[in-house]
Amino acid sequence: MKRIPILSLLLLSVSLSLSVLVCPLQSLAQTPAQNRVTQAINNGDLAVLKGNRPGFARAEFDRGPVEGAMRLTGVSLNFRPSQAQQAEIDQLLEQQQTPGSPSYHKWITPDQYAARFGMSASDLNKITAWLQAQGFTGITVSRSHNRISFNGTAAQIEAALHTGLHYYQVNGEKHFAMSDAPSLPRAFAATILSIRHLDDFRPRPRVRTEQRSALAVNPSFTSSSTGNHYLSPGDFATIYDLQPIYDSGIDGSGVTIAVVGQTTIRQADVTAFRSAAQLPAASLTMQQVTGSGTATECTDDEVEADLDVEWSGAVAKGAHVLYLFTGLNSGTTCSNPGNSDNVWDALFEAINPPSGDPAPVISTSYGFCEPGLGNAAVLQIQTWAQQANMQGQTISASSGDDGAADCDTGNSATQGLAVDAPASIPEVTGVGGSEFNGDAASTSDTTFWLGASGGDNLDSARSYIPEKAWNDSTASIAAGSGFSASGGGASVVFTKPSWQTGTGVPPANHRFVPDISFSASANHDGYLICSQPLATAKSDTSCPTSGSFRTGNGNLLAVGGTSVGSQVFGGVLAIINQGVGSGLTNVNPTLYSLKASNASAFHDIMSGDNIVPCTAPSTDCPNGTTTIGFTAG
């Protein structure tokens, strides 16, 4: 696990690459989308679509069929590129990263993507007509021409897709999903990569709140009352070497970060955070995803969203933050969202805005384990990420907070080793979690922190603090909150990308995550935020006094998790965007090549682990085994 200490080296690396291209060259020939539905659509000639059911829709969890009258909205057929299109995509992605290439750093627009890599107008018209004939309504085609969405009842969907829709009881929660692999007319079935919104398994937020025993009495941060340390934006800038970049006039100004979520937020919390951190007023736009129901405040998601918006903008303090969020369908609630749109839809719209250019940086603190999503869904998100990269966009995603057992949420793993998507996708930067290893969370030692005398010391970090892999699972389990450790391991969907090489990269042919890490422990030391839902949970009021992180009761709100890492790295990416004056696309090749060319560019994390308890005998936990996971080295 690695993290970024010297931002100037990244700026230099990208700037040198930019300087290689000395003259404009002819761009690659562009082949328009070819017709792929060449036969009449025959409902009697069907093909099965494998891999479209979520991994948790298993027989042992089945609780019977849903009501036929259940209404489902935004169900979507998502199309895969043809073999010829995929070959052209792969070539373009490589050439956009290759100095001297005619396509180097020449990004395409969503409309250009649609023309080259989407479905043809003829094919879209044929499939739309078939959907209409099945009685579906609200049929819409995405800007990228790789998705058709529609509405209908469960009975209509079961008849048209030749599958069942059943309820499932998973981890104490009631869900619904397809009970059988769907089938579609053979004339266009091969063009479909995935079918979305036929289940209600939503991506999970990765925020973690403080779990040390002192939480019961609401500890203060670096202050004369307790001496505990918490991170302010100024501390982050000191520890991760951003201050020299700020001093040079680079702070993300002119760059937009798209943060994706699935709840509304209170702008008053963001305003209070900026005031407490002594930052200029936020440049923030809150935008609901098109057609995503009714804007709703969902408490569990709102703490995550507050963290995401506040800290992405705190690192890139001059950037504009575009918060894209989804609402709820009629008759659903935050605890029972049905097939309402979610973060995946916000991610799709960040890549395919209704109009205009997409934001160059996307950060997401949500994810789901690869086996739980299923291969088709993971590969579908990869096609979105590839489109984003071709448009010059960089995606930063958290690697998960359940250690090496990403599919588990309790106190002991039974589902085996797993990693989180979208962090596992090669075109996405997976951001893991570290934990400070240089001092105690509460100490009078002033090696790394300034002391507090006569009041709070807002920006108290002195320097970089040594780190280990983040794993607070023991304390978190004791507090009744389950695992709390950096997600990481080997993908079961993707093989190792050509750029994932270097000292410490395992030899096996898997895509490994995370790619980079930042401090993630809520206990040692948490990130300060302003969030009324978190304060309400403590019968308190969030940051009510202008210019202070203290709550109405004089306490502080601290969070952690790889959620923070994906957002602060999004801020770093915005700063680099401003510094080089260009979109960055997938930065993973640069991260690994930079490490190879300059060993001091990163701090290697050489200790700690993401090992968690497991229950034998279960997947990856045979008899005689009590834990699963990996050790840093």
Side-chain angles (χ1 to χ4, degrees):
M1 300 179 189
K2 299 177 175 68
R3 69 113 186 125
I4 184 169
I6 307 176
L7 181 58
S8 57
L9 286 175
L10 276 179
L11 287 168
L12 177 61
S13 174
V14 181
S15 297
L16 288 176
S17 297
L18 284 170
S19 67
V20 175
L21 187 60
V22 295
C23 61
L25 299 173
Q26 185 68 31
S27 62
L28 284 175
Q30 298 182 10
T31 304
Q34 302 296 302
N35 294 336
R36 298 163 63 188
V37 183
T38 57
Q39 299 178 347
I41 298 177
N42 179 359
N43 287 334
D45 183 16
L46 303 176
V48 177
L49 274 64
K50 297 181 180 180
N52 272 273
R53 296 176 59 235
F56 289 118
R58 302 203 297 261
E60 63 265 35
F61 301 143
D62 197 326
R63 297 298 181 267
V66 307
E67 301 79 10
M70 175 191 285
R71 184 140 189 94
L72 302 175
T73 62
V75 179
S76 62
L77 302 179
N78 297 273
F79 302 101
R80 71 174 79 241
S82 67
Q83 288 186 339
Q85 286 174 323
Q86 189 60 56
E88 189 176 347
I89 287 170
D90 294 340
Q91 182 184 37
L92 179 57
L93 286 169
E94 180 179 359
Q95 294 195 352
Q96 285 178 324
Q97 293 256 37
T98 304
S101 160
S103 293
Y104 180 68
H105 278 213
K106 290 187 176 179
W107 317 123
I108 65 175
T109 67
D111 299 317
Q112 290 171 330
Y113 177 91
R116 295 174 63 179
F117 306 119
M119 295 286 281
S120 71
S122 174
D123 289 347
L124 292 170
N125 288 336
K126 290 176 182 178
I127 297 172
T128 295
W130 178 82
L131 289 168
Q132 290 171 333
Q134 311 313 303
F136 295 121
T137 60
I139 301 171
T140 59
V141 176
S142 69
R143 181 181 177 185
S144 54
H145 288 187
N146 60 1
R147 182 177 79 173
I148 298 180
S149 301
F150 55 94
N151 308 326
T153 65
Q156 287 176 313
I157 288 166
E158 289 175 329
L161 276 60
H162 303 275
T163 185
L165 291 173
H166 282 209
Y167 288 116
Y168 294 87
Q169 192 76 19
V170 182
N171 294 326
E173 298 176 347
K174 186 178 182 180
H175 295 275
F176 75 88
M178 287 183 286
S179 58
D180 306 287
S183 297
L184 286 170
R186 193 178 306 276
F188 67 87
T191 68
I192 305 297
L193 177 54
S194 73
I195 304 175
R196 292 201 60 244
H197 281 298
L198 288 182
D199 66 75
D200 63 347
F201 290 97
R202 291 162 71 87
R204 301 190 324 226
R206 300 308 186 182
V207 64
R208 287 292 187 269
T209 56
E210 192 176 35
Q211 293 298 335
R212 52 185 167 195
S213 58
L215 183 61
V217 294
N218 296 314
S220 303
F221 73 124
T222 307
S223 71
S224 56
S225 56
T226 67
N228 288 337
H229 303 308
Y230 296 89
L231 293 177
S232 70
D235 293 326
F236 184 90
T238 296
I239 294 167
Y240 290 103
D241 204 25
L242 285 173
Q243 195 56 52
I245 306 299
Y246 293 154
D247 293 342
S248 71
I250 299 174
D251 60 2
S253 294
V255 179
T256 297
I257 306 170
V259 176
V260 294
Q262 50 193 28
T263 179
T264 59
I265 62 174
R266 309 174 197 205
Q267 186 155 356
D269 282 330
V270 181
T271 300
F273 174 87
R274 302 284 292 198
S275 174
Q278 299 179 7
L279 296 172
S283 176
L284 171 65
T285 299
M286 294 186 283
Q287 180 176 311
Q288 185 175 353
V289 171
T290 307
S292 64
T294 302
T296 308
E297 184 180 323
C298 293
T299 299
D300 290 344
D301 290 294
E302 190 175 355
V303 176
E304 175 66 76
D306 288 337
L307 156 66
D308 296 351
V309 169
E310 290 170 6
W311 271 93
S312 59
V315 172
K317 55 188 178 181
H320 177 71
V321 176
L322 170 63
Y323 176 56
L324 286 169
F325 66 94
T326 58
L328 293 176
N329 292 338
S330 176
T332 65
T333 64
C334 295
S335 59
N336 183 22
N339 80 319
S340 299
D341 285 355
N342 55 47
V343 165
W344 298 136
D345 300 281
L347 175 61
F348 184 81
E349 185 149 310
I351 300 167
N352 294 279
S355 62
D357 296 328
V361 178
I362 302 171
S363 57
T364 175
S365 296
Y366 286 77
F368 212 88
C369 69
E370 287 182 334
L373 273 176
N375 277 26
V378 176
L379 293 172
Q380 181 62 65
I381 300 170
Q382 185 191 29
T383 67
W384 300 349
Q386 289 182 337
Q387 178 186 345
N389 286 177
M390 286 186 281
Q391 294 171 175
Q393 295 176 282
T394 310
I395 304 175
S396 171
S398 56
S399 70
D401 291 357
D402 296 299
D406 197 68
C407 287
D408 286 280
T409 58
N411 295 332
S412 187
T414 61
Q415 305 296 316
L417 298 169
V419 295
D420 205 66
S424 65
I425 295 171
E427 292 79 15
V428 173
T429 300
V431 185
S434 62
E435 183 168 355
F436 294 133
N437 197 31
D439 69 333
S442 177
T443 179
S444 58
D445 178 17
T446 57
T447 302
F448 299 108
W449 300 90
L450 296 172
S453 177
D456 300 331
N457 195 332
L458 177 63
D459 301 331
S460 53
R462 288 180 176 272
S463 66
Y464 170 68
I465 304 172
E467 295 164 281
K468 63 180 180 180
W470 165 51
N471 194 341
D472 289 334
S473 293
T474 299
S476 184
I477 291 171
S481 298
F483 302 149
S484 187
S486 177
S491 170
V492 295
V493 178
F494 302 106
T495 57
K496 184 183 293 182
S498 60
W499 43 258
Q500 193 166 44
T501 61
T503 303
V505 176
N509 189 27
H510 297 275
R511 157 72 165 136
F512 292 99
V513 288
D515 299 298
I516 197 167
S517 294
F518 290 88
S519 174
S521 173
N523 295 355
H524 185 20
D525 300 279
Y527 292 76
L528 295 169
I529 68 168
C530 295
S531 178
Q532 187 54 50
L534 184 56
T536 299
K538 307 174 188 301
S539 301
D540 207 345
T541 305
S542 171
C543 307
T545 303
S546 177
S548 173
F549 278 111
R550 292 200 173 276
T551 67
N553 292 336
N555 304 302
L556 291 118
L557 305 175
V559 295
T562 57
S563 286
V564 188
S566 62
Q567 300 304 326
V568 297
F569 190 56
V572 168
L573 292 168
I575 290 170
I576 298 173
N577 264 272
Q578 181 194 2
V580 302
S582 169
L584 299 174
T585 192
N586 183 6
V587 297
N588 291 341
T590 299
L591 294 178
Y592 285 86
S593 64
L594 182 58
K595 171 62 179 176
S597 64
N598 191 322
S600 65
F602 300 89
H603 289 290
D604 270 332
I605 294 176
M606 304 292 290
S607 62
D609 58 64
N610 70 347
I611 296 171
V612 295
C614 66
T615 300
S618 63
T619 305
D620 295 323
C621 188
N623 285 326
T625 304
T626 59
T627 60
I628 57 174
F630 307 98
T631 300

